[in-house]
Amino acid sequence: MSAIASPTAAPVIADAAVSASKPAKPAKKRGPLHYVGVAVSAALLMFVAIVALLVVAIPAATGSTPYTVLTSSMEPKYPAGTLVVIKPVSADSIGVGDVITYQLKSGEPEVVTHRVIAVNSAVGGERTFTTQGDNNDIADAAPVREVQVRGELWYAVPFIGWVNNVINGGTRAVIVPIAAVILFGYAGWMFVGSALERRRKRREAEAAAQA
């Protein structure tokens, strides 16, 4: 008696499921205008910072006073629009060749910035100064007394004087805090944006490595 073999079921081959990894999103390319904008923004930020430093911070820290040259009397070295920062000095230290700022009349706000061309001794030992603009043909009419002198030229920056006029007086109390907030805000935005960009690139690199 022959044994009857029961048919065996054909082996079922299961297809392995292949999970297709999602391709990493390509990084967004930045055009040249983006980099131009970044460069312009950085330049403006630096300009505002330098102006604030020269016009506000340094004079305030040293007790100096910024003035704006309004006429051509001190050309060519100090043309109209030049910012001159005047530091307080003793009248005894002022000599021929120094540039000083003095009141036209003692106690009044109107001032002139001219060069000393002679030092004189008045009655009673008080020194007086003969001044003249570098671009003027004759000396100033009246000698300058010690009490009129506001100080001696410390440093000068061309063209920034017009900016000083805009932010002078009561306007400065409003503009300076606003400029400070803008500067710190912009710096913070640049820092956060840079950190987020680095984080995004790191995640894309990790995703590409796991693919």
Side-chain angles (χ1 to χ4, degrees):
M1 182 175 176
S2 61
I4 301 175
S6 61
T8 58
V12 178
I13 302 175
D15 294 334
V18 179
S19 59
S21 61
K22 187 177 180 180
K25 186 178 180 180
K28 184 179 179 180
K29 294 184 178 180
R30 301 183 184 276
L33 289 179
H34 167 77
Y35 297 101
V36 171
V38 171
V40 171
S41 299
L44 288 175
L45 179 65
M46 183 175 294
F47 173 76
V48 173
I50 291 174
V51 169
L53 185 67
L54 296 175
V55 177
V56 181
I58 293 178
T62 60
S64 303
T65 305
Y67 294 99
T68 302
V69 177
L70 300 176
T71 68
S72 61
S73 66
M74 288 297 288
E75 289 183 350
K77 193 169 186 179
Y78 307 110
T82 300
L83 174 80
V84 290
V85 175
I86 305 300
K87 62 179 179 179
V89 295
S90 168
D92 294 336
S93 67
I94 298 174
V96 174
D98 293 336
V99 176
I100 63 172
T101 295
Y102 62 91
Q103 297 169 328
L104 285 177
K105 292 183 179 179
S106 180
E108 296 188 2
E110 190 174 1
V111 296
V112 174
T113 300
H114 278 174
R115 192 178 302 276
V116 175
I117 61 171
V119 179
N120 317 295
S121 294
V123 178
E126 181 186 18
R127 304 175 86 207
T128 62
F129 307 97
T130 303
T131 55
Q132 181 177 338
D134 290 351
N135 197 35
N136 293 347
D137 296 329
I138 59 175
D140 301 332
V144 179
R145 299 177 57 200
E146 293 182 8
V147 72
Q148 294 173 253
V149 177
R150 305 305 300 160
E152 181 183 349
L153 175 64
W154 184 17
Y155 64 84
V157 185
F159 309 117
I160 299 297
W162 301 132
V163 179
N164 179 58
N165 280 1
V166 172
I167 64 173
N168 206 2
T171 311
R172 179 175 298 177
V174 177
I175 292 181
V176 171
I178 293 176
V181 170
I182 292 174
L183 285 173
F184 283 109
Y186 182 83
W189 177 76
M190 292 288 288
F191 176 79
V192 172
S194 178
L196 291 176
E197 182 70 12
R198 289 196 300 269
R199 185 176 181 182
R200 182 184 65 80
K201 289 182 178 180
R202 184 170 62 251
R203 287 181 174 178
E204 289 179 353
E206 291 174 354
Q210 294 174 1

